[in-house]
Amino acid sequence: MAYENIRLEHDGAVATLTIDRPKALNALNNKTLQEIEAAVRSLGSDTRVLIVTGGGEKAFVAGADIAEMASLSESQAQEFAALGHRAFALLESLTIPTIAAVNGFALGGGCELALACDFIYASEKAQLGLPEVGLGVIPGFGGTQRLTRAVGRARAKELVFTGARIDAAKAKEIGLVLEVLPAEGLLAHCRSVAAKILKNGPLAIGKAKRVIEQGADKDLTEANTLERQGFAELFGSEDQREGMKAFLEKRPAVFTGK
Ligand code: DAK
């Protein structure tokens, strides 16, 4: 499929989704959100890791498109919100690992897009923040909730109430990003992490992702029950048999995701 505002590239089992509208610092307008939704929906079972990044030199995504939002009618705003929620929920529901490569401004909806991924690596140039209150609104693509889960209530409130932009080093200090890389090494780092992931059993990774996500909002007993069920469900899979057989035969496992 031909896209206007994004690129979806496949390199073996790793797909890279680039939000690519540099003239507007990759801001999310209606068309871009539609394309993100279509791209995520198009991923087949041959894709096992998704990297999300921004096109151009300056931005990951500078937020929802303010110029487009400013003139929305109430019903258009509802459609825009529903589309955004659909696209973000779809991204978050992927069973494969998703890595945000934040290469510049990740503000508002852009920061929320990164937060909807499993984890974030940032370039030294990255600036992250949720400036929505300065526009008279609050984050609307899950930012208040996901940021709070990522960095805790007080930090999340500080960032949301002040609308402050923080640099990559500060974002790492508070646990919002995992690592800070030189700009030219950011994607290579994400790909090297993807390569490590690809050596492991895809069914097990999908299951681990599910129990981590579902368990995070439960008490420990209930969460551990989920883990136990997930562990047991993997027995009988070809991946489980192959993983353990390969270990005993002292060779690398060849996983099929079955
Ligand atoms: N929207 C539209 N255009 C944008 C943009 C944005 N968010 N950010 C930048 N641009 C455009 C600029 O207007 C400019 O366009 P031209 O003037 O060249 O035509 C071009 O990108 C380059 O930007 P600047 O000239 O401003 O570049 P600077 O380096 O000087 O500044 C900046 C970079 C990132 C600091 C600055 O552009 C900036 O402050 N941008 C806005 C950042 C922001 O406030 N982002 C949050 C947007 S609000 C919802 C769900 C979610 C949301 C809303 C509703 N519902 C569920 C209902 C989310 C809201 C947001 O994300």
Side-chain angles (χ1 to χ4, degrees):
M1 176 171 174
Y3 298 110
E4 229 175 81
N5 296 337
I6 66 156
R7 282 182 284 128
L8 181 65
E9 287 149 320
H10 296 271
D11 178 8
V14 181
T16 303
L17 170 62
T18 305
I19 317 304
D20 199 18
R21 235 188 125 215
K23 65 177 187 325
L25 302 188
N26 306 324
L28 301 172
N29 61 2
N30 203 59
K31 173 112 185 131
T32 309
L33 284 169
Q34 279 175 10
E35 291 187 352
I36 293 172
E37 187 187 11
V40 174
R41 218 178 270 291
S42 77
L43 296 175
S45 57
D46 47 341
T47 296
R48 289 180 41 206
V49 178
L50 176 67
I51 297 170
V52 181
T53 193
E57 298 292 304
K58 276 177 73 174
F60 174 72
V61 167
D65 190 311
I66 301 170
E68 194 180 85
M69 265 193 309
S71 56
L72 293 182
S73 67
E74 193 180 329
S75 67
Q76 287 170 326
Q78 270 171 9
E79 276 169 38
F80 179 73
L83 171 63
H85 275 275
R86 250 190 351 258
F88 279 52
L90 194 65
L91 177 65
E92 209 171 32
S93 72
L94 287 175
T95 55
I96 59 170
T98 53
I99 304 174
V102 171
N103 54 318
F105 292 112
L107 303 175
C111 188
E112 294 175 291
L113 179 64
L115 280 163
C117 294
D118 289 318
F119 38 84
I120 305 174
Y121 297 119
S123 89
E124 288 162 349
K125 294 189 319 191
Q127 302 252 330
L128 299 95
L130 292 170
E132 283 88 342
V133 291
L135 297 166
V137 292
I138 65 170
F141 290 143
T144 57
Q145 306 310 310
R146 291 192 184 109
L147 184 68
T148 303
R149 282 163 172 74
V151 303
R153 284 185 202 194
R155 279 289 182 203
K157 286 177 184 165
E158 180 189 41
L159 283 172
V160 171
F161 296 172
T162 62
R165 293 205 301 258
I166 56 171
D167 64 17
K170 181 75 183 176
K172 181 177 174 190
E173 186 193 312
I174 65 171
L176 176 54
V177 314
L178 295 186
E179 300 295 341
V180 181
L181 288 306
E184 59 283 4
L186 176 64
L187 277 178
H189 178 77
C190 294
R191 290 186 188 120
S192 77
V193 173
K196 285 184 193 156
I197 293 172
L198 290 180
K199 291 193 178 132
N200 299 319
L203 283 186
I205 290 166
K207 194 73 79 181
K209 176 166 170 168
R210 203 197 73 202
V211 301
I212 290 170
E213 286 298 330
Q214 292 183 348
D217 300 325
K218 302 205 166 14
D219 71 55
L220 191 58
T221 310
E222 221 182 314
N224 275 335
T225 303
L226 276 179
E227 184 191 73
R228 225 171 30 246
Q229 283 164 352
F231 175 82
E233 281 162 18
L234 289 165
F235 279 75
S237 68
E238 287 178 24
D239 278 3
Q240 175 260 322
R241 282 197 295 269
E242 165 62 10
M244 295 188 178
K245 191 160 174 272
F247 174 80
L248 295 172
E249 292 171 0
K250 301 189 189 307
R251 61 170 175 83
V254 181
F255 292 112
T256 56
K258 291 181 191 148

